[in-house]
Amino acid sequence: PTATRRSARRLRGRRGVLEMRASLLWVATLAASRAHAASCAHAAEETEKTCEEPPVEPWPTCGDWCVSRDPSTECAIDRAVHECANDYFCTTTCGLWNASVVQARDPDVEASLSCDAFVRMAGYALGAEVCADDCLLAEIKPNRYPAPLGFGLMCAPGTCDPAAQSRYAGTEKARSEGLAVLLCPCNWFGADCPDDWVRVERIVGKEVHGDLQRIVLGVEEADAWRKIVGSHRPGGVVRVQTRSASTWGARPVEQPYALAAVGEVGEIELLSSPPDARYHATVTEAARRVRALPVGPVVGEPLFINPSIAGFFNREYAYLMDVLAEGPPRDVLIVATGAGLA
């Protein structure tokens, strides 16, 4: 059973690696070609003979031809449509090109993006632009998450809204701005899918410790509470959301929190620090509201919490507890960096 779990974990963990293998192959081929050219030049000097370099064929530029190809077919992003940083980020697939660009150009088709592609930050909607710096929390700046095109996450034009959202479905906004419809269910950072929402009924308790607030949220049903904490791992995060009148289509703004503790059934404890004033107002709106709520029933716009996602993982995308379950290492070192989500 241990071997089976290890095999399954590795398969899951390498999903993103496999999807990028074609891009790496092209980079490796290009490097091999350059090495061959250097070798040829040296041989020519030594023997006064010439040698010819083998041609290197790059991936074909993505285009409408992708519609009739297997979605996994590799192609190079058309830089007249989207600029990309280098060969690594300029290599994509026909499936992503169709979802991001071709469908957006077809007036009879609604461009859509799967939850899996959204989680992998792989979509680059036709009308999307790189998010402004004040739209992105420190944890998701371009230096840490350069996807999808090498310059950072992408937003709807002039906003901090993700370029793919479920509420864009059937709207003129999506059509005119070249945005994509996020396919639900999808419980991930930035997703507006309501499928996994659990309503926060009350603020059970609140303590102030300097700038920090210890906040205990209360949900009514035990099953709903178990839904939130059932998949929690060390390092996992819950997303607290509330609909906002300040966003297009009353987008649910969100604040991610690391769970401070899981106490009594129906109670979830969070730690909240003051929102950074440098961020755009919509980025910190949910955090400011949560900190301002008094103890008692939540009144006004409903507040929702999503099941815990993510967690500590290593470079093989294996989660901490899964690795420890396979055979505890001699030592485990935990380093606090001070870069928290709350």
Side-chain angles (χ1 to χ4, degrees):
T2 299
T4 300
R5 288 195 299 271
R6 184 182 296 113
S7 176
R9 174 177 63 76
R10 286 174 177 168
L11 286 174
R12 292 194 303 270
R14 291 174 181 168
R15 177 180 60 184
V17 176
L18 291 173
E19 290 167 346
M20 295 178 181
R21 181 170 292 172
S23 176
L24 294 175
L25 178 61
W26 160 238
V27 174
T29 302
L30 183 62
S33 171
R34 289 172 177 169
H36 178 81
S39 176
C40 275
H42 176 74
E45 291 177 359
E46 293 293 324
T47 63
E48 297 183 354
K49 294 182 180 180
T50 60
C51 63
E52 294 185 6
E53 300 177 28
V56 177
E57 295 295 335
W59 301 125
T61 301
C62 305
D64 291 345
W65 59 270
C66 272
V67 174
S68 61
R69 298 299 181 89
D70 186 284
S72 63
T73 302
E74 296 85 4
C75 61
I77 287 177
D78 186 346
R79 297 197 182 199
V81 176
H82 273 308
E83 188 55 59
C84 42
N86 51 43
D87 288 333
Y88 183 83
F89 289 107
C90 288
T91 302
T92 186
T93 65
C94 277
L96 285 171
W97 181 260
N98 290 337
S100 301
V101 178
V102 176
Q103 291 178 0
R105 288 172 168 169
D106 188 338
D108 298 321
V109 177
E110 190 168 69
S112 61
L113 188 71
S114 69
C115 180
D116 180 67
F118 186 85
V119 170
R120 291 186 288 110
M121 298 171 284
Y124 41 88
L126 179 62
E129 59 186 29
V130 176
C131 299
D133 185 67
D134 64 353
C135 289
L136 302 175
L137 297 174
E139 292 79 13
I140 54 174
K141 296 290 188 185
N143 64 318
R144 297 189 66 181
Y145 289 93
L149 301 178
F151 307 115
L153 303 182
M154 305 189 80
C155 289
T159 74
C160 291
D161 294 358
Q165 294 280 270
S166 67
R167 74 185 187 286
Y168 295 156
T171 66
E172 178 57 31
K173 178 181 177 68
R175 187 76 62 196
S176 62
E177 297 185 16
L179 304 177
V181 176
L182 174 62
L183 300 180
C184 297
C186 192
N187 177 25
W188 197 251
F189 305 102
D192 64 344
C193 296
D195 307 77
D196 294 308
W197 283 0
V198 174
R199 186 163 181 168
V200 177
E201 301 291 344
R202 65 194 183 281
I203 304 300
V204 177
K206 182 176 285 191
E207 296 176 0
V208 178
H209 302 275
D211 287 337
L212 289 176
Q213 287 188 5
R214 172 184 171 270
I215 304 171
V216 182
L217 308 181
V219 299
E220 288 293 339
E221 298 181 4
D223 287 346
W225 176 82
R226 293 188 181 95
K227 180 180 179 182
I228 296 168
V229 302
S231 60
H232 180 68
R233 301 181 178 94
V237 173
V238 292
R239 302 159 57 228
V240 175
Q241 293 180 297
T242 183
R243 294 190 183 278
S244 172
S246 68
T247 61
W248 183 89
R251 173 174 77 89
V253 291
E254 72 175 64
Q255 176 64 34
Y257 292 96
L259 282 180
V262 176
E264 299 290 333
V265 174
E267 297 183 1
I268 297 170
E269 182 179 324
L270 311 173
L271 287 178
S272 172
S273 59
D276 194 323
R278 294 173 297 176
Y279 294 127
H280 191 280
T282 59
V283 175
T284 59
E285 182 175 340
R288 286 184 278 110
R289 185 181 178 213
V290 170
R291 287 174 64 86
L293 285 172
V295 173
V298 175
V299 297
E301 189 66 39
L303 195 68
F304 301 97
I305 187 170
N306 291 268
S308 178
I309 55 175
F312 297 130
F313 59 87
N314 62 18
R315 62 184 179 183
E316 294 183 352
Y317 298 97
Y319 288 107
L320 173 64
M321 299 309 293
D322 293 338
V323 173
L324 295 181
E326 291 182 1
R330 187 180 63 182
D331 299 296
V332 176
L333 176 65
I334 298 177
V335 179
T337 65
L341 288 170

